[in-house]
Coordinates of all heavy atoms in Angstrom, one line a residue:
M1 N 54.6 91.0 74.3 CA 54.6 89.6 74.2 C 56.0 89.2 73.5 O 56.4 89.9 72.6 CB 53.4 89.0 73.4 CG 53.5 87.6 73.2 SD 52.0 87.1 72.5 CE 52.6 85.9 71.3
K2 N 56.6 88.2 73.9 CA 57.9 87.8 73.4 C 57.7 86.5 72.6 O 56.8 85.7 72.9 CB 58.9 87.7 74.4 CG 58.7 86.6 75.3 CD 59.8 86.4 76.4 CE 59.6 85.3 77.3 NZ 60.5 85.2 78.4
R3 N 58.6 86.3 71.7 CA 58.4 85.1 70.8 C 59.8 84.7 70.4 O 60.7 85.4 69.9 CB 57.6 85.4 69.5 CG 57.3 84.2 68.8 CD 56.2 84.6 67.7 NE 56.8 85.3 66.7 CZ 56.3 85.6 65.6 NH1 55.0 85.3 65.4 NH2 56.9 86.3 64.6
I4 N 60.1 83.3 70.5 CA 61.4 82.9 70.0 C 61.4 82.8 68.5 O 60.6 82.2 67.9 CB 61.7 81.5 70.6 CG1 61.8 81.6 72.2 CG2 63.0 80.9 70.1 CD1 61.9 80.3 72.9
T5 N 62.5 83.4 67.9 CA 62.4 83.3 66.4 C 63.4 82.3 65.9 O 63.3 81.8 64.8 CB 62.8 84.7 65.8 OG1 64.1 85.1 66.4 CG2 61.8 85.7 66.2
S6 N 64.4 82.0 66.7 CA 65.3 80.9 66.3 C 66.1 80.4 67.6 O 66.3 81.2 68.5 CB 66.3 81.3 65.2 OG 67.2 82.4 65.6
A7 N 66.6 79.2 67.5 CA 67.2 78.6 68.6 C 68.0 77.5 68.2 O 67.8 76.8 67.2 CB 66.2 78.1 69.6
C8 N 69.0 77.1 69.1 CA 69.9 76.0 68.8 C 70.6 75.5 70.1 O 70.7 76.4 71.0 CB 70.9 76.4 67.7 SG 72.6 76.1 67.9
L9 N 70.9 74.3 70.2 CA 71.6 73.8 71.3 C 73.1 73.5 70.9 O 73.4 73.0 69.8 CB 71.0 72.4 71.8 CG 69.7 72.4 72.4 CD1 69.3 71.1 72.6 CD2 69.7 73.3 73.6
E10 N 74.0 73.8 71.8 CA 75.4 73.4 71.6 C 75.7 72.3 72.6 O 75.5 72.5 73.8 CB 76.3 74.6 71.7 CG 77.7 74.2 71.3 CD 78.7 75.4 71.1 OE1 78.3 76.5 71.1 OE2 79.9 75.2 71.1
Q11 N 76.2 71.2 72.1 CA 76.5 70.0 73.0 C 77.9 69.4 72.7 O 78.3 69.6 71.7 CB 75.5 68.9 72.7 CG 74.1 69.2 72.9 CD 73.0 68.1 72.6 OE1 73.3 67.3 71.7 NE2 72.1 68.0 73.3
T12 N 78.4 68.9 73.8 CA 79.6 68.1 73.8 C 79.2 66.7 74.1 O 78.7 66.5 75.2 CB 80.6 68.7 74.7 OG1 80.9 70.1 74.4 CG2 81.9 67.9 74.6
I13 N 79.5 65.8 73.1 CA 79.1 64.3 73.5 C 80.3 63.5 73.3 O 81.0 63.6 72.4 CB 78.0 64.0 72.5 CG1 76.8 64.8 72.6 CG2 77.6 62.5 72.7 CD1 75.7 64.5 71.5
R14 N 80.4 62.5 74.3 CA 81.5 61.5 74.3 C 80.9 60.2 73.9 O 80.1 59.7 74.6 CB 82.2 61.5 75.7 CG 83.4 60.5 75.7 CD 84.0 60.5 77.1 NE 85.1 59.5 77.2 CZ 86.2 59.9 77.4 NH1 86.6 61.1 77.7 NH2 87.2 59.0 77.3
F15 N 81.5 59.6 72.9 CA 81.1 58.2 72.5 C 82.3 57.3 73.0 O 83.4 57.4 72.5 CB 81.0 58.1 71.0 CG 79.8 58.9 70.5 CD1 80.0 60.3 70.1 CD2 78.5 58.4 70.4 CE1 79.0 61.1 69.6 CE2 77.4 59.1 70.0 CZ 77.6 60.4 69.6
D16 N 81.9 56.5 74.0 CA 83.0 55.8 74.8 C 83.1 54.4 74.2 O 82.4 53.9 73.5 CB 82.6 55.8 76.2 CG 83.7 56.0 77.2 OD1 84.8 55.8 76.8 OD2 83.4 56.4 78.3
T17 N 84.3 53.8 74.8 CA 84.5 52.4 74.5 C 84.2 51.5 75.6 O 84.5 50.3 75.6 CB 86.1 52.3 74.3 OG1 86.7 52.7 75.4 CG2 86.6 53.0 73.1
Y18 N 83.3 52.1 76.5 CA 82.9 51.3 77.7 C 82.0 50.0 77.2 O 81.2 50.0 76.3 CB 81.9 52.2 78.6 CG 81.4 51.6 79.8 CD1 82.3 51.3 80.8 CD2 80.1 51.2 79.9 CE1 81.9 50.7 82.0 CE2 79.6 50.7 81.1 CZ 80.5 50.5 82.2 OH 80.1 49.9 83.3
N19 N 82.3 48.9 77.9 CA 81.7 47.5 77.6 C 81.9 47.1 76.1 O 81.0 46.7 75.4 CB 80.2 47.6 77.9 CG 79.9 47.5 79.3 OD1 80.8 47.2 80.2 ND2 78.7 47.9 79.7
D20 N 83.1 47.5 75.6 CA 83.5 47.1 74.2 C 82.7 47.7 73.1 O 82.5 47.2 72.1 CB 83.5 45.6 74.1 CG 84.5 44.8 74.9 OD1 85.6 45.4 75.1 OD2 84.2 43.8 75.4
A21 N 82.1 48.9 73.5 CA 81.4 49.6 72.5 C 82.2 50.2 71.4 O 83.4 50.3 71.6 CB 80.7 50.8 73.2
N22 N 81.7 50.3 70.2 CA 82.4 50.8 69.1 C 82.0 52.3 68.8 O 80.9 52.5 68.4 CB 82.1 50.0 67.8 CG 82.8 50.6 66.6 OD1 83.3 51.6 66.5 ND2 82.8 49.7 65.5
P23 N 82.8 53.3 69.4 CA 82.4 54.7 69.3 C 82.2 55.1 67.9 O 81.2 56.1 67.7 CB 83.7 55.4 70.0 CG 84.7 54.4 70.0 CD 84.2 53.1 69.9
Q24 N 82.9 54.7 66.9 CA 82.7 55.1 65.6 C 81.3 54.7 65.1 O 80.6 55.5 64.4 CB 83.7 54.6 64.6 CG 83.7 55.2 63.2 CD 84.0 56.7 63.2 OE1 84.9 57.2 63.9 NE2 83.3 57.5 62.4
E25 N 80.9 53.6 65.3 CA 79.5 53.0 65.0 C 78.4 53.8 65.7 O 77.4 54.1 65.2 CB 79.5 51.6 65.3 CG 78.4 50.8 64.5 CD 78.4 50.9 63.0 OE1 79.5 51.0 62.4 OE2 77.4 51.1 62.5
D26 N 78.7 54.0 67.1 CA 77.7 54.7 67.8 C 77.5 56.1 67.3 O 76.4 56.7 67.3 CB 78.2 54.8 69.3 CG 78.1 53.5 70.0 OD1 77.5 52.5 69.5 OD2 78.7 53.3 71.0
L27 N 78.6 56.9 67.0 CA 78.5 58.2 66.4 C 77.7 58.1 65.1 O 76.8 59.0 64.8 CB 79.9 58.8 66.1 CG 80.1 60.0 65.3 CD1 79.2 61.2 66.1 CD2 81.5 60.4 65.1
K28 N 78.0 57.2 64.2 CA 77.3 57.1 62.9 C 75.8 56.8 63.2 O 75.0 57.5 62.4 CB 77.8 55.8 62.2 CG 77.3 55.6 60.8 CD 77.8 54.4 60.2 CE 77.0 54.0 58.8 NZ 77.5 52.8 58.3
R29 N 75.4 56.0 64.0 CA 74.0 55.7 64.4 C 73.3 57.0 64.9 O 72.2 57.3 64.6 CB 73.8 54.7 65.4 CG 73.9 53.3 64.8 CD 73.3 52.1 65.7 NE 74.0 52.1 67.0 CZ 75.0 51.4 67.2 NH1 75.6 50.6 66.3 NH2 75.6 51.4 68.4
F30 N 74.0 57.8 65.8 CA 73.5 59.0 66.4 C 73.2 60.0 65.3 O 72.1 60.7 65.2 CB 74.6 59.6 67.3 CG 74.1 60.9 67.9 CD1 73.1 61.0 69.0 CD2 74.9 62.0 67.5 CE1 72.7 62.2 69.4 CE2 74.5 63.2 68.0 CZ 73.5 63.5 69.0
L31 N 74.1 60.2 64.3 CA 73.9 61.2 63.3 C 72.9 60.7 62.2 O 72.1 61.5 61.8 CB 75.3 61.4 62.5 CG 76.4 62.0 63.4 CD1 77.6 62.2 62.5 CD2 76.0 63.3 64.0
E32 N 72.8 59.4 62.1 CA 71.7 58.9 61.2 C 70.3 59.1 61.8 O 69.4 59.5 61.1 CB 71.9 57.4 60.9 CG 73.0 57.1 60.0 CD 73.3 55.6 59.8 OE1 72.8 54.8 60.6 OE2 74.2 55.3 58.9
L33 N 70.2 58.9 63.1 CA 69.0 59.1 63.9 C 68.6 60.6 63.6 O 67.4 61.0 63.4 CB 69.1 58.8 65.3 CG 67.9 59.1 66.1 CD1 66.7 58.2 65.7 CD2 68.2 58.8 67.6
M34 N 69.5 61.6 63.8 CA 69.2 63.0 63.7 C 68.7 63.2 62.2 O 67.8 64.1 61.9 CB 70.3 63.9 64.1 CG 70.5 63.9 65.6 SD 71.3 65.3 66.2 CE 72.8 65.3 65.4
D35 N 69.4 62.7 61.2 CA 68.9 62.8 59.8 C 67.5 62.3 59.6 O 66.7 63.0 58.9 CB 70.0 62.1 58.9 CG 71.3 62.7 58.8 OD1 71.4 64.0 59.0 OD2 72.3 62.0 58.4
R36 N 67.2 61.1 60.3 CA 65.9 60.5 60.1 C 64.8 61.4 60.6 O 63.7 61.6 60.2 CB 65.9 59.1 60.6 CG 66.4 58.1 59.8 CD 65.9 56.6 60.3 NE 66.2 56.4 61.7 CZ 67.2 55.9 62.1 NH1 68.2 55.5 61.4 NH2 67.3 55.7 63.4
K37 N 65.2 62.1 61.7 CA 64.2 63.0 62.4 C 64.2 64.4 61.8 O 63.5 65.3 62.3 CB 64.6 63.1 64.0 CG 64.4 61.8 64.7 CD 64.7 62.1 66.1 CE 64.3 60.9 67.0 NZ 64.5 61.2 68.4
N38 N 65.0 64.6 60.8 CA 65.1 65.9 60.1 C 65.6 67.0 61.0 O 65.1 68.2 60.9 CB 63.9 66.2 59.4 CG 63.5 65.3 58.2 OD1 64.4 64.9 57.4 ND2 62.3 64.9 58.1
T39 N 66.4 66.6 62.0 CA 67.0 67.7 62.9 C 68.2 68.3 62.3 O 69.1 67.5 61.8 CB 67.5 67.0 64.2 OG1 66.3 66.4 64.8 CG2 68.0 68.0 65.2
K40 N 68.2 69.6 62.1 CA 69.4 70.3 61.6 C 70.5 70.2 62.6 O 70.2 70.4 63.8 CB 69.1 71.7 61.2 CG 68.1 71.8 60.1 CD 67.8 73.3 59.9 CE 66.7 73.4 58.8 NZ 66.3 74.9 58.6
Y41 N 71.7 69.9 62.1 CA 72.9 69.9 63.0 C 74.1 70.3 62.3 O 74.1 70.2 61.0 CB 73.0 68.6 63.7 CG 73.4 67.4 62.7 CD1 74.7 67.1 62.6 CD2 72.4 66.7 62.2 CE1 75.1 66.1 61.7 CE2 72.7 65.6 61.3 CZ 74.0 65.3 61.1 OH 74.3 64.4 60.3
Q42 N 75.2 70.6 63.1 CA 76.5 70.9 62.4 C 77.5 70.4 63.4 O 77.5 70.8 64.5 CB 76.6 72.4 62.2 CG 77.9 72.8 61.6 CD 78.0 74.4 61.5 OE1 77.2 75.1 61.9 NE2 79.1 74.7 60.7
V43 N 78.3 69.5 63.0 CA 79.5 69.0 63.8 C 80.6 70.1 63.8 O 81.1 70.4 62.7 CB 80.0 67.7 63.4 CG1 81.2 67.2 64.3 CG2 78.9 66.6 63.5
V44 N 80.8 70.7 64.9 CA 81.8 71.7 65.0 C 83.2 71.3 65.1 O 84.1 71.7 64.5 CB 81.4 72.8 66.2 CG1 82.5 73.8 66.3 CG2 80.1 73.3 66.0
E45 N 83.4 70.2 65.9 CA 84.6 69.7 66.2 C 84.5 68.2 66.6 O 83.6 67.8 67.1 CB 85.3 70.4 67.4 CG 86.7 70.0 67.8 CD 87.2 70.9 68.9 OE1 86.6 71.8 69.3 OE2 88.2 70.5 69.5
Q46 N 85.5 67.3 66.1 CA 85.5 65.9 66.4 C 86.9 65.5 66.7 O 87.9 65.8 65.9 CB 85.0 65.1 65.2 CG 85.0 63.6 65.4 CD 84.3 62.9 64.2 OE1 83.5 63.4 63.5 NE2 84.8 61.7 64.0
N47 N 87.1 64.9 67.9 CA 88.4 64.4 68.3 C 88.4 63.0 68.8 O 87.5 62.6 69.5 CB 88.9 65.2 69.5 CG 89.1 66.7 69.1 OD1 89.8 67.0 68.2 ND2 88.6 67.6 69.8
R48 N 89.4 62.2 68.4 CA 89.5 60.9 68.9 C 90.6 60.9 70.0 O 91.7 61.4 69.8 CB 90.1 59.9 67.7 CG 90.2 58.4 68.2 CD 90.5 57.6 67.1 NE 89.4 57.3 66.2 CZ 88.4 56.5 66.4 NH1 88.4 55.8 67.4 NH2 87.5 56.3 65.5
M49 N 90.2 60.4 71.1 CA 91.0 60.4 72.4 C 91.9 59.1 72.3 O 91.8 58.2 71.5 CB 90.2 60.3 73.6 CG 89.1 61.4 73.6 SD 89.8 63.0 73.3 CE 90.7 63.3 74.9
D50 N 93.0 59.2 73.1 CA 94.0 58.0 73.2 C 93.3 56.7 73.5 O 93.8 55.6 73.0 CB 95.1 58.3 74.2 CG 95.9 59.6 73.8 OD1 96.0 59.8 72.6 OD2 96.6 60.1 74.7
D51 N 92.3 56.7 74.3 CA 91.6 55.4 74.6 C 90.6 54.9 73.6 O 89.9 53.9 73.7 CB 90.9 55.6 76.0 CG 89.7 56.5 75.9 OD1 89.5 57.2 75.0 OD2 89.0 56.7 76.9
G52 N 90.5 55.6 72.4 CA 89.6 55.2 71.4 C 88.3 55.9 71.3 O 87.6 55.8 70.4
S53 N 87.9 56.6 72.5 CA 86.7 57.2 72.4 C 86.7 58.5 71.5 O 87.7 59.0 71.2 CB 86.2 57.6 73.9 OG 87.2 58.5 74.4
I54 N 85.5 58.9 71.2 CA 85.3 60.1 70.3 C 84.5 61.2 71.0 O 83.5 60.9 71.6 CB 84.6 59.7 68.9 CG1 85.5 58.6 68.2 CG2 84.4 60.9 68.1 CD1 84.7 58.1 67.0
I55 N 85.1 62.4 71.0 CA 84.3 63.5 71.5 C 84.0 64.5 70.5 O 84.8 64.8 69.6 CB 85.2 64.2 72.6 CG1 85.5 63.2 73.7 CG2 84.4 65.5 73.1 CD1 86.4 63.9 74.9
I56 N 82.6 64.8 70.3 CA 82.3 65.7 69.4 C 81.6 66.9 70.0 O 81.0 66.8 71.0 CB 81.3 65.2 68.3 CG1 80.0 64.7 68.9 CG2 81.9 64.0 67.6 CD1 78.9 64.3 67.9
R57 N 81.7 68.1 69.3 CA 81.0 69.3 69.7 C 80.1 69.6 68.5 O 80.5 69.5 67.4 CB 81.9 70.5 69.8 CG 82.5 70.6 71.3 CD 83.2 71.9 71.4 NE 82.6 73.0 71.1 CZ 83.1 74.0 70.2 NH1 84.4 73.9 69.9 NH2 82.4 75.0 69.8
L58 N 78.8 69.8 68.8 CA 77.9 70.0 67.7 C 76.9 71.0 68.1 O 76.6 71.3 69.3 CB 77.2 68.7 67.3 CG 76.1 68.1 68.1 CD1 75.0 67.6 67.2 CD2 76.6 67.0 69.0
K59 N 76.3 71.7 67.1 CA 75.2 72.6 67.2 C 74.0 71.9 66.6 O 74.2 71.2 65.5 CB 75.5 73.9 66.5 CG 76.5 74.7 67.0 CD 76.7 75.9 66.2 CE 77.9 76.8 66.7 NZ 78.0 78.1 66.0
K60 N 72.9 71.8 67.3 CA 71.8 71.1 66.8 C 70.5 71.9 67.0 O 70.4 72.6 68.0 CB 71.7 69.7 67.3 CG 70.9 69.5 68.6 CD 70.9 68.0 68.9 CE 69.8 67.7 69.9 NZ 69.8 66.3 70.3
Q61 N 69.6 71.7 66.2 CA 68.2 72.4 66.2 C 67.5 72.2 67.4 O 67.5 71.0 67.9 CB 67.4 72.0 65.0 CG 66.1 72.7 64.8 CD 65.4 72.2 63.6 OE1 65.7 71.1 63.0 NE2 64.5 73.0 63.1
Y62 N 66.9 73.1 68.0 CA 66.2 72.9 69.3 C 64.7 72.8 68.9 O 64.1 73.8 68.3 CB 66.4 74.1 70.3 CG 65.7 74.0 71.5 CD1 65.9 73.0 72.5 CD2 64.6 74.9 71.8 CE1 65.2 73.0 73.7 CE2 63.8 74.8 72.9 CZ 64.1 73.9 73.9 OH 63.4 73.8 75.0
N63 N 64.0 71.7 69.2 CA 62.6 71.5 68.8 C 62.4 71.7 67.3 O 63.2 71.3 66.6 CB 61.6 72.3 69.8 CG 61.7 71.8 71.2 OD1 62.1 70.8 71.5 ND2 61.2 72.7 72.1
A64 N 61.4 72.5 67.0 CA 61.3 72.8 65.6 C 61.5 74.2 65.2 O 61.2 74.8 64.1 CB 59.7 72.5 65.2
Y65 N 62.3 74.9 66.1 CA 62.6 76.3 65.8 C 63.6 76.5 64.7 O 64.3 75.6 64.4 CB 63.3 77.0 67.0 CG 62.3 77.2 68.2 CD1 62.6 76.4 69.4 CD2 61.2 77.9 68.1 CE1 61.8 76.6 70.5 CE2 60.4 78.1 69.3 CZ 60.6 77.5 70.4 OH 59.8 77.6 71.5
R66 N 63.6 77.6 64.0 CA 64.5 77.9 63.0 C 65.8 78.0 63.6 O 66.0 78.2 64.7 CB 64.0 79.2 62.3 CG 62.7 79.1 61.5 CD 62.4 80.2 60.6 NE 63.1 81.4 61.1 CZ 62.6 82.7 61.1 NH1 61.4 82.9 60.7 NH2 63.2 83.7 61.5
T67 N 66.8 77.9 62.7 CA 68.2 77.9 63.2 C 69.0 79.1 62.5 O 70.2 79.0 62.4 CB 69.1 76.6 62.9 OG1 68.9 76.4 61.5 CG2 68.4 75.5 63.7
D68 N 68.2 80.1 62.2 CA 68.9 81.3 61.5 C 70.0 81.8 62.2 O 69.8 82.1 63.5 CB 67.9 82.4 61.3 CG 66.8 81.9 60.3 OD1 66.9 80.9 59.6 OD2 65.7 82.5 60.3
G69 N 71.3 82.0 61.7 CA 72.3 82.6 62.4 C 73.2 81.6 63.2 O 74.2 82.0 63.7
Y70 N 72.7 80.4 63.4 CA 73.3 79.4 64.3 C 74.0 78.3 63.4 O 75.1 77.9 63.7 CB 72.4 78.7 65.3 CG 71.8 79.6 66.4 CD1 70.5 80.1 66.3 CD2 72.7 80.1 67.4 CE1 70.1 80.9 67.3 CE2 72.1 80.9 68.4 CZ 70.8 81.3 68.3 OH 70.3 82.2 69.3
I71 N 73.3 77.8 62.5 CA 73.8 76.7 61.7 C 73.7 77.1 60.3 O 72.8 77.6 59.8 CB 72.9 75.5 61.9 CG1 72.9 74.9 63.4 CG2 73.3 74.3 61.0 CD1 72.1 73.8 63.7
D72 N 74.9 77.0 59.5 CA 74.9 77.3 58.2 C 74.3 76.3 57.2 O 74.2 75.1 57.5 CB 76.4 77.4 57.7 CG 77.1 78.5 58.5 OD1 76.5 79.5 58.9 OD2 78.3 78.4 58.7

């Protein structure tokens, strides 16, 4: 029998300026939501593009699995 002992997702997310959205505010709300849900995460990289959008790379906890070896 096999069993998952730890897991994590790596994502690249773009917070855009589409329809006059505020990417900095959207990013802040996204991270606050993960904090409220007690989801472990680590922002690996954050870049602001010339058009004002923000692209982040992050590692985040998958379901309720431990994140040993993935997130410090």
Side-chain angles (χ1 to χ4, degrees):
M1 183 170 129
K2 65 180 177 180
R3 189 170 75 173
I4 297 173
T5 57
S6 63
C8 135
L9 294 174
E10 186 166 346
Q11 296 179 324
T12 302
I13 302 174
R14 179 183 180 115
F15 294 91
D16 218 343
T17 56
Y18 184 69
N19 286 341
D20 296 324
N22 182 341
Q24 189 65 41
E25 197 58 39
D26 290 345
L27 172 59
K28 180 181 173 190
R29 277 196 304 268
F30 175 74
L31 296 178
E32 286 173 353
L33 177 64
M34 287 203 302
D35 288 337
R36 279 196 310 269
K37 290 182 176 183
N38 293 321
T39 302
K40 294 180 185 175
Y41 67 91
Q42 178 182 12
V43 176
V44 177
E45 186 178 346
Q46 179 175 331
N47 295 310
R48 182 174 289 276
M49 306 308 289
D50 292 337
D51 65 354
S53 61
I54 298 173
I55 297 178
I56 64 167
R57 276 189 43 231
L58 74 140
K59 294 179 183 180
K60 86 177 198 182
Q61 183 178 21
Y62 178 69
N63 292 340
Y65 292 115
R66 295 186 336 216
T67 56
D68 299 343
Y70 293 106
I71 299 174
D72 299 329

